[in-house]
Amino acid sequence: MRSLYQSRYARMCKKAEENESNADYHGAMSEMSYVLINVFGLTNKQVLEVEKNGGLTNADIETE
């Protein structure tokens, strides 16, 4: 479930990057990062990794 949510978050990051003036995308990103941190237990650093790696943390990549 976490990996699916991370993928959704990464897709939202791309949308927000492409449409920087769209406040809805940025709001969704904020909400989704909150869920990743407070529900799934990721750290802020891991959330940044998800953005950078297209939906995976560095630890996820290492275990594949």
Side-chain angles (χ1 to χ4, degrees):
M1 182 61 113
R2 178 180 60 91
S3 61
L4 292 174
Y5 203 84
Q6 287 176 191
S7 294
R8 287 180 57 205
Y9 177 72
R11 285 192 306 270
M12 185 57 64
C13 290
K14 284 186 180 187
K15 285 182 182 180
E17 188 177 297
E18 292 168 358
N19 300 298
E20 291 184 17
S21 63
N22 189 325
D24 290 336
Y25 291 150
H26 292 283
M29 271 183 58
S30 255
E31 183 178 321
M32 294 174 90
S33 67
Y34 177 87
V35 171
L36 287 171
I37 293 167
N38 292 296
V39 174
F40 293 110
L42 271 65
T43 64
N44 287 329
K45 180 183 174 194
Q46 288 173 311
V47 172
L48 293 174
E49 291 171 1
V50 169
E51 291 179 26
K52 182 181 135 198
N53 297 333
L56 298 170
T57 64
N58 291 345
D60 294 336
I61 293 170
E62 292 172 5
T63 60
E64 286 187 345

